[in-house]
Amino acid sequence: MTPPQKLYQRIADQIAGDIAAGRYAPGSRLPAERDPAETFAVSRPTVREAMIALEIRGLVGARKGSGIYVASPLPGTAGPSPELDVGAFELIEARTLFESEAAALAAAAIDEAQLSELRALLTQMDAHDEAGDDLAADRRFHMIIAEATGNSLVASAVAQLWDVREQSPLCVHMFAQARRVGVTPRANEHQLVVDALAARDPQRAREAMRAHLRRVTDDLLEATKLDLIQKAQADYAAQRERVTARTGV
């Protein structure tokens, strides 16, 4: 049975079809995020994932800091659109559901050895704040909490979500954009989770994990916006250089 098409894929394919049909000409500006969000009745993060998917396919890009534009010229005709799998926003939504409840369960069952390992990982992640993120330490931090629930199915589900984080091309692309603009895991947010676990407070642990993952979503929204702005600035600088060269100024 063929799995249902993901929302971002449906939107990306619709816009790609509109571009192919000439509704959006090469070099023309696409509507702002809120317009397709209303048209397709989806969230802004879903629209952002669709735009990034179109960018990966070479159909759109940022120009002059004013939004998303159709590529000019358009790339040559290719085969079916690539399967980019799960985007970062969809992943974080699922992680919030699973890992917030996992943290609440872990608060009642975590042992001192697991708390000690979490604290050691906090030190390790804090040391990477300047040098960049430590994905292995971040994953291990969250897996210890899942394992502390004592439920093998919870641990398996969380591990699968992290596998998606590391293997989905669209997800990898979006987190790479975040790293390029300096977004890395925050050790202080992880510290609040550890504090709640050490206090054996399920509700506090749930809220700390939920707040942490909500912040990841906010950071990704800002990072992808900043990435587009940087591309627009680079495009403007290159254009200005060409004009200067032609005019001899």
Side-chain angles (χ1 to χ4, degrees):
M1 181 178 177
T2 303
Q5 189 180 39
K6 291 179 171 55
L7 280 175
Y8 85 84
Q9 291 172 325
R10 179 165 60 86
I11 296 167
D13 286 349
Q14 177 65 55
I15 294 173
D18 289 341
I19 292 171
R23 180 178 176 189
Y24 301 118
S28 65
R29 186 180 185 277
L30 290 178
E33 284 180 3
R34 64 178 176 273
D35 294 333
E38 292 174 358
T39 299
F40 294 100
V42 297
S43 66
R44 184 170 58 134
T46 299
V47 174
R48 186 71 58 85
E49 287 176 345
M51 293 302 173
I52 291 172
L54 289 169
E55 180 187 1
I56 292 173
R57 289 158 64 174
L59 292 174
V60 304
R63 289 189 178 183
K64 302 178 183 176
S66 59
I68 307 295
Y69 286 75
V70 178
S72 180
L74 286 169
T77 303
S81 61
E83 171 55 62
L84 297 173
D85 204 15
V86 176
F89 296 118
E90 183 179 2
L91 171 68
I92 295 169
E93 184 178 52
R95 283 186 61 196
T96 300
L97 290 171
F98 279 91
E99 294 197 48
S100 297
E101 293 308 311
L105 285 173
I110 196 166
D111 60 34
E112 287 303 319
Q114 290 166 325
L115 284 169
S116 293
E117 188 175 357
L118 288 175
R119 293 184 180 111
L121 287 167
L122 283 176
T123 300
Q124 183 177 335
M125 287 188 284
D126 189 53
H128 280 76
D129 274 354
E130 296 299 325
D133 62 341
D134 186 342
L135 183 59
D138 194 19
R139 174 173 179 149
R140 181 58 190 152
F141 180 93
H142 288 269
M143 283 306 306
I144 290 170
I145 296 171
E147 292 162 2
T149 65
N151 187 312
S152 62
L153 292 177
V154 171
S156 178
V158 172
Q160 185 176 6
L161 291 171
W162 274 86
D163 287 344
V164 170
R165 159 74 173 80
E166 296 169 5
Q167 297 169 14
S168 165
L170 180 58
C171 202
V172 169
H173 180 86
M174 293 175 72
F175 277 106
Q177 285 184 313
R179 285 195 299 275
R180 283 196 295 271
V181 296
V183 175
T184 59
R186 289 186 174 92
N188 63 316
E189 292 177 7
H190 290 86
Q191 180 68 64
L192 294 175
V193 176
V194 174
D195 291 345
L197 293 170
R200 317 292 177 180
D201 188 331
Q203 183 58 28
R204 184 176 158 195
R206 178 187 291 113
E207 290 301 327
M209 182 64 77
R210 184 175 293 137
H212 164 54
L213 292 172
R214 187 182 302 121
R215 176 64 66 181
V216 174
T217 298
D218 292 343
D219 283 348
L220 278 168
L221 282 168
E222 187 65 19
T224 50
K225 181 179 74 175
L226 288 172
D227 187 70
L228 292 173
I229 291 171
Q230 289 172 347
K231 287 180 181 179
Q233 290 172 336
D235 180 76
Y236 172 77
Q239 184 179 28
R240 181 175 180 179
E241 202 172 299
R242 288 193 296 270
V243 170
T244 300
R246 285 198 301 270
T247 60
V249 176

